[in-house]
Amino acid sequence: MAHPAILTITLNPALDLSSQVDQVRAGDKLRCASPRRDPGGGGINVSRAIRHLGGDSLAVVALGGATGEAVRQMMTAEGLSLRAFPLPGETRQSLSVTDQSNNDQYRFVMPGPDWHDAEVDALLDLCATLPGPGTLTVLSGSLPPGVSPCLPHRMCAALEGTGARMIIDTSGAGLLRLARTPQDQRPMVLRFDNQEAEELSGTTLDSPAATADLAENLAQRGVADAVVIACGAEGNVLFDGTRRVLCRPVPVPVRSKVGAGDSFVGAFALTLSRGGDLAEALHHGTAAANAAVMTDATELCRAEDVERLYPGCLLSEI
């Protein structure tokens, strides 16, 4: 079997529902518009963004129950290559509602079913068989209930010897474990956002330079070979082992921030898989995130928008 160029792993997927109401008011029945339904979860959205940008990936997704079957069917309908892993329970759902009176967005995210050691071990065994030399393996999204925060390190260890390169985009306890207990088996790239960066540092990061200081410190401590931190409208910061790079987006009207980070990771991974370096990947990722915020609800980046915005996203060293 040929090894995929890009492998994405989603442990806590969701059926994403998005809708709008005239105004959010407590106590009233809120009459929603017809909902949009999308397969969601970090790795799934990364694979979807890659597909939108003309690339291919193999998505390993933990799915269960009727909701999981609906997610599988939607992924197949989008032309995504899928390797389903049995989830110990029903796939969760999430809901985002936009208040049309002020364009505020409310996001409700369910926790997903509990995992046990047997499922984790089986997943690690499966994922170790799929990538080959050069495969970019993307572990993206939150860890499910019951999964130890050491899973990202265990995933890196499981892939050691395959020649795969690991990109991790996670949050919460998994990110804290990665950042605070560096190990020999570490990801090539660790990505997270500025809010998580401030929680890690215990201080306000009020400039891209301060954010780059944290990225450089983490990489030099052996947390990852390279660190990317998303700074919202300020752009994205990268420390690649030698350089501190900032890529600023183009000012655009923001319709929804949902999926911007996943669009970034999709374009970032696709650029690397095509031979680009980390700075080029940062540039393409920034353009994709820039494009994603222009779309409604849970829609991801559009290739034509990425192409148009790319020249205006400015790279600089800091």
Side-chain angles (χ1 to χ4, degrees):
M1 182 183 70
H3 298 293
I6 304 173
L7 175 71
T8 67
I9 302 170
T10 311
L11 306 185
N12 207 16
L15 174 61
D16 286 338
L17 303 173
S18 58
S19 186
Q20 305 86 37
V21 294
D22 292 337
Q23 186 177 14
V24 175
R25 297 180 301 273
D28 291 347
K29 287 185 178 179
L30 304 179
R31 304 293 181 180
C32 297
S34 296
R36 176 187 173 115
R37 301 165 79 243
D38 290 296
I44 291 177
N45 282 335
V46 171
S47 282
R48 293 176 66 215
I50 289 169
R51 181 74 173 172
H52 290 184
L53 297 173
D56 292 303
S57 64
L58 174 62
V60 174
V61 187
L63 297 173
T67 306
E69 176 59 20
V71 169
R72 186 193 66 77
Q73 291 179 9
M74 285 188 283
M75 293 181 68
T76 300
E78 287 193 29
L80 299 177
S81 298
L82 169 66
R83 179 70 178 265
F85 179 83
L87 182 69
E90 186 81 18
T91 295
R92 64 183 178 148
Q93 298 188 28
S94 66
L95 172 66
S96 65
V97 177
T98 299
D99 183 329
Q100 293 183 307
S101 69
N102 54 22
N103 210 37
D104 284 348
Q105 190 174 57
Y106 297 82
R107 300 170 67 180
F108 304 89
V109 181
M110 304 303 167
D114 286 320
W115 283 53
H116 304 95
D117 290 344
E119 286 94 22
V120 174
D121 291 343
L123 175 83
L124 291 170
D125 289 343
L126 170 64
C127 290
T129 68
L130 297 175
T135 297
L136 282 161
T137 302
V138 181
L139 177 62
S140 180
S142 60
L143 299 181
V147 171
S148 166
C150 71
L151 178 67
H153 275 141
R154 292 187 64 192
M155 185 69 71
C156 291
L159 297 183
E160 191 174 29
T162 66
R165 298 174 291 170
M166 191 83 186
I167 299 172
I168 295 180
D169 179 15
T170 191
S171 59
L175 174 60
L176 290 176
R177 179 64 177 255
L178 282 165
R180 293 176 179 172
T181 57
Q183 297 186 14
D184 291 340
Q185 294 83 20
R186 60 180 179 265
M188 179 184 73
V189 178
L190 174 64
R191 179 198 174 271
F192 50 95
D193 65 32
N194 206 49
Q195 179 180 343
E196 293 159 342
E198 291 186 341
E199 292 172 359
L200 282 177
S201 66
T203 187
T204 299
L205 301 173
D206 55 5
S207 69
T211 303
D213 287 342
L214 175 64
E216 183 174 358
N217 175 265
L218 290 170
Q220 290 182 339
R221 287 176 42 231
V223 170
D225 296 334
V227 176
V228 175
I229 302 176
C231 302
E234 289 287 335
N236 294 281
V237 168
L238 162 73
F239 180 72
D240 66 1
T242 58
R243 295 178 298 169
R244 297 151 48 110
V245 182
L246 169 68
C247 191
R248 293 186 181 275
V250 178
V252 296
V254 176
R255 299 187 65 86
S256 171
K257 296 179 182 179
V258 177
D262 297 326
S263 293
F264 175 95
V265 176
F268 186 92
L270 184 59
T271 302
L272 292 178
S273 76
R274 291 173 169 172
D277 65 16
L278 287 167
E280 291 175 278
L282 186 80
H283 197 170
H284 282 278
T286 299
N290 206 175
V293 302
M294 298 170 55
T295 62
D296 289 323
T298 54
E299 189 176 354
L300 302 173
C301 61
R302 299 169 182 156
E304 60 271 24
D305 291 332
V306 177
E307 183 177 358
R308 178 173 56 84
L309 293 170
Y310 177 84
C313 296
L314 301 179
L315 277 175
S316 61
E317 294 197 19
I318 52 176

